[in-house]
Amino acid sequence: MWVSLIVSHLTAGAFVLRFLTPPRRRPAHRAVYVARLEDLPESESVVVEDLRGVPVAVVREGTTIRALSTVCTHLGCRVRWEGNKQRFFCPCHDGIFDREGRVVAGPPPRPLDRYEVRIDKDLVFLTMEEPA
Ligand code: FES
């Protein structure tokens, strides 16, 4: 009887421990096709959504493609690409990010989130995090 009591308590303890400390999983990522290189206008942005619905600005300069979240890191307003000034601008509190997404002016505490870009035979793919 004592043995079964101890085993049942240990089993219950293991379940409680597992509940309190769930295993950490690394988020899965997937390369998603967004456009053909020739369909991306020079120095302008094309906005696509990532797998979680976050709008992403894809900007082409020659063969260089940048993909940045358009969600401002201050309070979450939408930033817009201003190709003539080579910057992202947030109209809510005049936040300014350079073309790499780094904060130049205003209250945003950190750069815009970036997406890895891969070009394969003239096709542009972004690496996106899978929804949980
Ligand atoms: Fe963008 Fe405040 S929300 S600067």
Side-chain angles (χ1 to χ4, degrees):
M1 184 176 98
W2 283 107
V3 172
S4 64
L5 188 63
I6 290 171
V7 168
S8 66
H9 277 86
L10 288 175
T11 303
F15 279 109
V16 168
L17 189 63
R18 186 176 171 102
F19 176 77
L20 294 175
T21 58
R24 291 195 180 155
R25 290 192 194 132
R26 304 180 90 198
H29 291 79
R30 183 175 5 144
V32 177
Y33 165 78
V34 291
R36 294 187 327 183
L37 190 58
E38 65 209 37
D39 292 339
L40 296 174
E42 181 75 24
S43 291
E44 291 180 28
S45 73
V46 171
V47 177
V48 298
E49 283 191 354
D50 75 2
L51 297 172
R52 295 173 295 160
V54 175
V56 179
V58 182
V59 179
R60 173 185 175 191
E61 288 177 311
T63 55
T64 302
I65 308 287
R66 289 184 198 83
L68 296 132
S69 166
T70 63
V71 177
C72 182
T73 56
H74 181 222
L75 294 178
C77 289
R78 292 278 301 271
V79 302
R80 65 172 179 260
W81 170 249
E82 295 180 336
N84 57 337
K85 296 178 181 172
Q86 294 288 296
R87 70 181 192 181
F88 290 91
F89 177 70
C90 179
C92 291
H93 309 101
D94 296 335
I96 298 173
F97 303 85
D98 69 10
R99 64 186 189 184
E100 301 291 336
R102 294 178 291 239
V103 179
V104 174
R110 63 180 178 82
L112 296 172
D113 292 336
R114 291 190 68 126
Y115 291 76
E116 184 183 315
V117 177
R118 184 168 56 88
I119 301 172
D120 186 11
K121 295 178 185 166
D122 211 35
L123 304 177
V124 179
F125 295 85
L126 301 186
T127 301
M128 300 178 179
E129 187 177 314
E130 299 260 8

